[in-house]
Amino acid sequence: MTTFPAHPFGTEITTADIIDSMKSCRSWEDKYRLIIQLGKRLPSLEESLKSKSIPVSGCESNVWLIWKNDNNSYQFAADSDARIVKGLLALILAASEGKTQEELMAFNFEKYFEEMYLLDHLSPSRNNGIRAIIDQIKHI
C-alpha cells in the first residue's frame, strides 16, 4: 500500500519563513541555491503515485501533483524531474498545504512570488509552469 508522502511545507516551513529566507539572499544565485535546497526537502513520489497525478500542462519539465481532501483541508504532494522546478513546487506547497478550497482561491500567489523577487529572474517557460501548477491547485 502506498502512503501519501509527508513534507514540511506549509507546516514546519511556512510562506513567512520562505519569504524571510529569500529576502536574506544577496544575489539571484543565492536564491537559486535556496530554491534547490528547499526542493531537496520535498520527498520524491513513488511511481504508483506519479501514475495517479493530475496532468500539469504548460511545464517543460515533468511535474507530478497529487492531492487529498481531509475534512475540507487539502494536502498536496508533488515532484519534478528538474531540481529548480522541484524547489518551486516546495514554495507552492508551503502556500497551499492544509488550506480549504476558499483559502486556496483567496491566496495571492502572484504577490507571494513578487515578495520573493522571483518572477523577474525566472524564464518565461518557468513562469508559465508555475502559473499552470497554481491553476491546477486552485481548481481541484
Side-chain angles (χ1 to χ4, degrees):
M1 181 175 143
T2 305
T3 59
F4 199 83
H7 59 78
F9 299 100
T11 52
E12 297 168 36
I13 302 172
T14 66
T15 55
D17 296 331
I18 291 171
I19 290 168
D20 287 344
S21 295
M22 286 290 180
K23 286 182 177 177
S24 69
C25 292
R26 291 180 277 153
S27 67
W28 166 241
E29 290 79 18
D30 289 345
K31 287 183 183 194
Y32 187 82
R33 276 191 291 278
L34 178 59
I35 292 168
I36 290 172
Q37 288 172 349
L38 290 170
K40 288 179 180 178
R41 307 252 338 247
L42 194 60
S44 296
L45 290 180
E46 295 178 19
E47 290 302 318
S48 61
L49 291 174
K50 286 180 181 179
S51 67
K52 297 175 185 175
S53 71
I54 56 176
V56 179
S57 60
C59 290
E60 289 182 9
S61 304
N62 289 320
V63 173
W64 299 276
L65 177 67
I66 61 169
W67 57 273
K68 68 177 182 173
N69 184 336
D70 188 19
N71 292 329
N72 200 30
S73 172
Y74 288 90
Q75 282 76 47
F76 296 92
D79 199 358
S80 176
D81 59 356
R83 294 181 313 162
I84 189 72
V85 174
K86 191 166 181 168
L88 294 169
L89 285 166
L91 301 179
I92 293 168
L93 293 186
S96 306
E97 188 69 18
K99 288 190 167 43
T100 64
Q101 181 68 41
E102 295 78 21
E103 291 169 324
L104 289 169
M105 293 302 290
F107 188 82
N108 189 338
F109 283 92
E110 189 83 17
K111 182 179 180 226
Y112 172 53
F113 277 91
E114 284 174 5
E115 286 184 65
M116 293 182 278
Y117 304 104
L118 283 182
L119 296 179
D120 293 339
H121 296 288
L122 297 174
S123 67
S125 64
R126 286 222 172 98
N127 276 323
N128 289 339
I130 287 171
R131 284 179 175 79
I133 294 162
I134 291 168
D135 284 346
Q136 286 286 20
I137 286 173
K138 284 191 167 195
H139 296 101
I140 55 172

